[in-house]
Amino acid sequence: MAEGIFAAEIVEECRRRGLLAGAYALRRPRGATFLRRLARDLSEQRKAPRVLVRRGVALLRAEPAVLRRQTGLGAEAARAREVLRRVAGLLAGHPRG
């Protein structure tokens, strides 16, 4: 299992080696992601609030390009609930969840 923004970098090689059970890029509501990230960063006092808002807005705007890149590298865009359902299916021995 690989997780994170660079996980899609290994999708094709894992597929080529027969090691890939599934590759997903989470598709979440951008506004909700922005608010969750901002709340977390503010509570952890990572940086000044103005910096966090500016950074959050930049990430909000960049998110569609990040998702396109991930899917271009072989990951399938899916909502978290769908990914969890599919992973549970894999664990139960049902390849398509």
Side-chain angles (χ1 to χ4, degrees):
M1 179 180 285
E3 178 271 331
I5 194 164
F6 299 110
E9 301 284 338
I10 64 170
V11 168
E12 192 53 43
E13 182 64 18
C14 288
R15 185 175 282 128
R16 188 184 70 72
R17 292 180 183 206
L19 301 172
L20 189 67
Y24 306 102
L26 289 181
R27 182 176 51 219
R28 293 184 166 161
R30 291 177 0 182
T33 300
F34 168 80
L35 292 173
R36 276 195 305 271
R37 183 183 293 127
L38 183 61
R40 178 201 65 202
D41 292 347
L42 287 170
S43 72
E44 294 176 5
Q45 299 177 346
R46 292 176 174 225
K47 291 181 172 62
R50 183 187 320 187
V51 172
L52 294 174
V53 170
R54 196 169 39 238
R55 176 182 170 269
V57 169
L59 291 171
L60 175 84
R61 289 180 179 156
E63 195 168 318
V66 171
L67 187 58
R68 279 192 305 275
R69 182 173 184 283
Q70 301 299 304
T71 57
L73 289 170
E76 180 183 344
R79 298 216 179 270
R81 183 172 289 158
E82 177 65 14
V83 172
L84 291 173
R85 186 183 69 74
R86 289 185 186 187
V87 169
L90 288 169
L91 292 172
H94 307 292
R96 284 308 290 172

